[in-house]
């Protein structure tokens, strides 16, 4: 908005100098994908105006003609500028480079849509992520720690901390130790990120708990709604960053 057009290398350097953030080509492409509305579902894009805010080529990003015309209105420009300033201030209020992992602030709150966007996924797949999804060598895992007693038996997964450094987690039911998704999750190069909310009463946002390292997988069973035994895989993870005591006590309390 200040310069109309920016060179990508200069932008990457700016992010490093001002925020100590390393910005990859994949992240740049994802940012453009969001600002051109390609990331969003049709209904969300319509809600946001259905216009591309920027145009981009290999070396630079510039404002789109339509958005530039909107910004010519001083009142509209003021509103946009105010929203951006607030977003930056809110982000920086508790931002520490040492607690910033793969685009996420440790113990920050994120929706599934946020996670898809920050992981540079091409589309918002929040509606089909459910408890986890393996994509682009990433696997975000979403856990509701205190599960509602009224949910079906086949989804009462035994997901819990054994200690501040060990997390026990179960795949969805009807998955076995030889399933392709299990092999994909176990791969060291697959980035496994844990997101937890204490209960459904907390809404749609999950706390980012950090990266997990796979240690062991065991095939077992869970009881289905009709008493049948369904295959499932129990996985044991080591937290790359041990969970802080007050956060651990919050979930265990």
């Amino acid at each position: 908005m200040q310069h109309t057009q920016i060179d990508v290398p200069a932008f990457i350097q700016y992010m490093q100098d001002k925020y100590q953030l390393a910005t990859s080509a994949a992240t740049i492409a994802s940012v453009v994908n969001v600002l051109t509305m390609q990331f969003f579902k049709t209904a969300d894009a319509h809600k946001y105006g259905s216009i591309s805010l920027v145009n981009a080529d290999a070396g630079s990003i510039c404002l789109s003609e339509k958005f530039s015309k909107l910004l010519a209105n001083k009142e509209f420009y003021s509103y946009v500028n105010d929203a951006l300033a607030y977003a930056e201030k809110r982000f920086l209020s508790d931002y520490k480079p040492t607690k910033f992992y793969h685009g996420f602030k440790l113990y920050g709150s994120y929706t599934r849509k946020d996670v898809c966007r920050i992981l540079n996924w091409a589309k918002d797949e929040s509606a089909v992520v459910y408890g986890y999804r393996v994509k682009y060598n990433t696997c975000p895992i979403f856990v509701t720690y205190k599960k509602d007693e009224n949910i079906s038996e086949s989804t009462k997964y035994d997901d819990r901390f054994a200690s501040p450094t060990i997390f026990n987690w179960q795949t969805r039911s009807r998955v076995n130790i030889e399933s392709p998704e299990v092999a994909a999750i176990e791969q060291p190069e697959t980035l496994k990120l844990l997101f937890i909310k204490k209960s459904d009463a907390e809404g749609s946002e999950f706390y980012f708990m950090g990266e997990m390292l796979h240690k062991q997988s065991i095939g077992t069973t869970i009881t289905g709604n009709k008493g049948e035994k369904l295959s499932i895989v129990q996985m044991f993870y080591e937290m790359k960053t041990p969970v802080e005591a007050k956060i651990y006590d919050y979930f265990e309390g």
Side-chain angles (χ1 to χ4, degrees):
M1 286 171 59
Q2 292 175 355
H3 303 287
T4 306
Q5 179 173 318
I6 57 171
D7 293 330
V8 169
F11 173 69
I12 290 174
Q13 189 62 50
Y14 173 82
M15 296 298 288
Q16 180 63 52
D17 293 344
K18 186 169 184 180
Y19 305 110
Q20 296 80 57
L21 284 175
T23 306
S24 66
T27 295
I28 295 292
S30 179
V31 168
V32 170
N33 204 36
V34 169
L35 294 178
T36 56
M37 302 293 160
Q38 298 302 305
F39 169 78
F40 299 104
K41 300 172 188 174
T42 301
D44 285 340
H46 181 72
K47 182 172 64 176
Y48 301 142
S50 293
I51 68 166
S52 176
L53 306 186
V54 301
N55 297 320
D57 58 31
S60 66
I61 304 170
C62 65
L63 294 177
S64 69
E65 183 178 353
K66 287 185 177 181
F67 192 48
S68 293
K69 288 180 178 179
L70 292 174
L71 290 172
N73 181 301
K74 291 183 179 180
E75 186 174 7
F76 179 75
Y77 184 99
S78 176
Y79 287 146
V80 174
N81 198 51
D82 185 61
L84 293 173
Y86 170 74
E88 181 182 37
K89 185 172 183 178
R90 181 180 177 186
F91 176 84
L92 292 176
S93 64
D94 63 350
Y95 166 65
K96 296 180 179 63
T98 56
K99 291 190 175 183
F100 196 74
Y101 305 96
H102 309 289
F104 301 95
K105 291 191 292 188
L106 192 63
Y107 312 129
S109 297
Y110 300 91
T111 65
R112 287 181 173 88
K113 188 200 304 192
D114 292 333
V115 173
C116 292
R117 174 177 54 80
I118 294 170
L119 287 177
N120 299 333
W121 290 13
K123 294 288 184 180
D124 171 16
E125 299 188 32
S126 55
V128 294
V129 169
Y130 305 115
Y132 63 98
R133 187 170 178 82
V134 184
K135 198 172 185 72
Y136 306 130
N137 287 331
T138 60
C139 181
I141 294 173
F142 299 89
V143 170
T144 302
Y145 208 71
K146 305 290 185 181
K147 295 175 174 60
D148 192 313
E149 293 182 359
N150 296 321
I151 64 174
S152 65
E153 292 295 326
S154 61
T155 58
K156 288 183 178 178
Y157 306 122
D158 186 20
D159 305 323
R160 55 188 168 78
F161 286 108
S163 73
T165 58
I166 301 297
F167 188 73
N168 299 335
W169 175 76
Q170 290 183 324
T171 64
R172 60 177 63 91
S173 59
R174 296 184 174 85
V175 170
N176 60 54
I177 200 73
E178 297 178 352
S179 296
E181 68 183 57
V182 170
I185 293 171
E186 290 176 339
Q187 293 300 313
E189 59 267 27
T190 299
L191 180 64
K192 293 164 276 287
L193 303 177
L194 179 62
F195 299 84
I196 297 181
K197 62 180 177 179
K198 188 167 184 178
S199 69
D200 285 330
E202 291 189 335
S204 61
E205 294 189 340
F206 296 76
Y207 296 101
F208 172 57
M209 305 302 293
E211 182 180 350
M212 300 193 298
L213 304 175
H214 176 262
K215 306 304 290 183
Q216 185 182 12
S217 298
I218 298 175
T220 183
T221 60
I222 191 172
T223 303
N225 298 333
K226 298 180 180 180
E228 73 277 26
K229 294 297 182 181
L230 304 174
S231 63
I232 201 167
V233 177
Q234 180 85 44
M235 291 191 176
F236 301 89
Y237 291 104
E238 178 184 351
M239 302 300 300
K240 197 167 183 178
T241 302
V243 180
E244 291 182 2
K246 64 179 181 180
I247 303 294
Y248 183 83
D249 291 344
Y250 170 71
F251 286 114
E252 287 295 310

